[in-house]
Amino acid sequence: MKRSKIFFGIVVATLLLHACSENDEPERDPVSGTGNSVETNPPNANYSPAFAGQTRIGSVQTTTPISVTTLSTSLSSPWGITSLPDGRLLITEKGGTMRIATTTGEISNAITGIPAVNSAGQGGLLGVRADPNFSSNRMLYWVFSEAVDGGNVTVVAKGRLADNEASIEAPEVIYRALPAHSSTSHYGGRIVFDPTGNLLISTGERSNIATRPLAQDASTGLGKIIRINTNGQPAAGNPSFTQTDALPELYSMGHRNPQGIAFHPVTGDLWQSEHGPRGGDEINLVQPGQNYGWPTITYGIEYSGQPINGGLTQQDGLEQPEYYWDPVVSPSGITFYTGNRVPEWQNNLFIGALSGQHIVRLVIENNRITGEERLLTGENQRFRDITQGMDGALYAITDAGRLYRIDQE
Ligand SMILES: [Ca+2]
């Protein structure tokens, strides 16, 4: 009797221990990826991930019948898309124009009054957001590449959309990510409002071997997430960095060319997409004050095939990506899905892939990627940005000038 009680006790203890250890693992639910990875090509680098599932997670497949509608083919290199409060879509075009689109595909004339952009290379008119109080103040905020003395910079501007929607009134540059450099690559360029009404902007390290290390220099605005108020000043409550001359507007550092930022609708965490070199595209969960490693650590290699920093992929004090791709898909704009049109997509992350020519769907559970799907693979389009409409459908734009609506059938 006594022995069986002890045995029972051991069984219960073992079960409890097992339950505890299971609780430490990401919870699995039926949408977790169970298929083979969507990536079937060999990687460029023979690097080992820092944890299981950091790359090539199992595939998931949307079961809800989906309709894909091409609303327009007439946009000119659209770069950013966001919803206005009335449900229409505001779209930037790389060459320096903005247009308003209806959700049935009527496209407005180009809005005038926007300061000149340098659209050479990867530059131009980039990300855009409407003020949370747009309905009353009609303010817009956007990112563009500007030619200045010494080269080009990623800058943030604001202006009021005229009542007749034909022009931007009193446009004003509120922030410049210095130093300027002659490169026309890696501007970053996304912008979002955070819940406190401040702006987060992603900046790139300008691609050049001379400026690449500035992603690790907290005294520069290159290769960073910047957090400023709507007047362009460092936002209240920004994190501190150990470097004594760190810029007060920094939110995070160590980024290469981040072209997607979005807040998780449940956890409130900031998620980010970042272009890697040859391999090493990343999805990061960005915590304030943290360093995301570029170019000290990366899962990519140089385009020449040479390792970067001796092939280092992990280092104490540098954050790991939540997910990476090798070969690259070139992740650009991102959005979380919170609509009710496709319930199985709830809180999933959607990513426009440029070289991948598809839309990535990532399932996230307990801050870990648990499933990946490729959507619109048959369209052969470079997807630049994606947003959720006020109607709960997804809207995506492509470099070739298309506007797509993706919705339940
Ligand atoms: Ca990184």
Side-chain angles (χ1 to χ4, degrees), residues 244-261:
T244 50
D245 56 351
L247 296 176
E249 65 266 33
L250 299 195
Y251 188 79
S252 63
M253 61 186 289
H255 302 297
R256 185 175 179 272
N257 188 23
Q259 285 191 345
I261 43 176

Side-chain angles (χ1 to χ4, degrees), residues 81-331:
I81 183 169
T82 193
S83 291
L84 294 173
D86 65 6
R88 292 179 302 161
L89 302 158
L90 179 66
I91 297 171
T92 61
E93 294 173 313
K94 185 176 178 296
T97 45
M98 285 187 207
R99 298 176 192 273
I100 295 172
T102 67
T103 54
T104 54
E106 291 172 62
I107 309 289
S108 78
N109 290 330
I111 297 167
T112 63
I114 297 166
V117 307
N118 179 5
S119 63
Q122 296 173 357
L125 186 53
L126 307 174
V128 65
R129 281 294 182 273
D131 193 288
N133 296 314
F134 176 85
S135 296
S136 54
N137 66 21
R138 301 187 65 78
M139 290 301 292
L140 300 178
Y141 300 81
W142 65 93
V143 185
F144 70 102
S145 44
E146 179 188 41
V148 297
D149 285 348
N152 307 303
V153 286
T154 302
V155 308
V156 185
K158 67 177 179 181
R160 183 182 184 276
L161 181 65
D163 291 343
N164 67 4
E165 299 182 347
S167 65
I168 301 287
E169 298 171 344
E172 178 188 358
V173 170
I174 59 171
Y175 180 78
R176 289 181 171 88
L178 299 172
H181 190 264
S182 57
S183 160
T184 57
S185 295
H186 295 193
Y187 288 102
R190 291 295 170 199
I191 181 169
V192 295
F193 273 92
D194 78 6
T196 65
N198 290 295
L199 291 162
L200 289 161
I201 299 100
S202 63
T203 70
E205 40 68 297
R206 310 308 316 288
S207 178
N208 194 283
I209 203 74
T211 53
R212 183 189 272 185
L214 298 185
Q216 288 295 322
D217 183 345
S219 72
T220 78
L222 307 193
K224 308 295 186 318
I225 305 283
I226 303 292
R227 183 167 172 267
I228 54 177
N229 63 29
T230 53
N231 292 319
Q233 301 304 308
N238 272 352
S240 55
F241 291 79
T242 51
Q243 194 175 322
T244 50
D245 56 351
L247 296 176
E249 65 266 33
L250 299 195
Y251 188 79
S252 63
M253 61 186 289
H255 302 297
R256 185 175 179 272
N257 188 23
Q259 285 191 345
I261 43 176
F263 284 98
H264 191 288
V266 175
T267 67
D269 290 323
L270 182 70
W271 288 71
Q272 174 250 33
S273 67
E274 181 171 325
H275 294 289
R278 187 169 153 191
D281 281 351
E282 296 182 348
I283 295 294
N284 291 294
L285 195 174
V286 176
Q287 302 281 8
Q290 299 302 306
N291 184 331
Y292 288 81
W294 176 259
T296 309
I297 59 170
T298 175
Y299 288 92
I301 58 177
E302 301 283 9
Y303 293 113
S304 68
Q306 293 299 306
I308 294 168
N309 195 24
L312 201 62
T313 59
Q314 302 180 43
Q315 184 169 296
D316 283 350
L318 301 180
E319 302 304 308
Q320 282 291 310
E322 295 304 321
Y323 198 64
Y324 71 85
W325 287 274
D326 180 10
V328 298
V329 298
S330 309

Side-chain angles (χ1 to χ4, degrees), residues 16-69:
L16 280 170
L17 269 173
H18 186 63
C20 287
S21 67
E22 287 229 319
N23 285 342
D24 292 336
E25 297 291 321
E27 280 179 27
R28 303 283 165 175
D29 73 35
V31 296
S32 293
T34 52
N36 294 327
S37 166
V38 295
E39 183 57 75
T40 56
N41 294 306
N44 291 285
N46 287 317
Y47 296 148
S48 298
F51 53 87
Q54 195 182 19
T55 189
R56 299 188 182 228
I57 196 70
S59 65
V60 287
Q61 198 158 12
T62 300
T63 56
T64 305
I66 298 299
S67 71
V68 175
T69 310

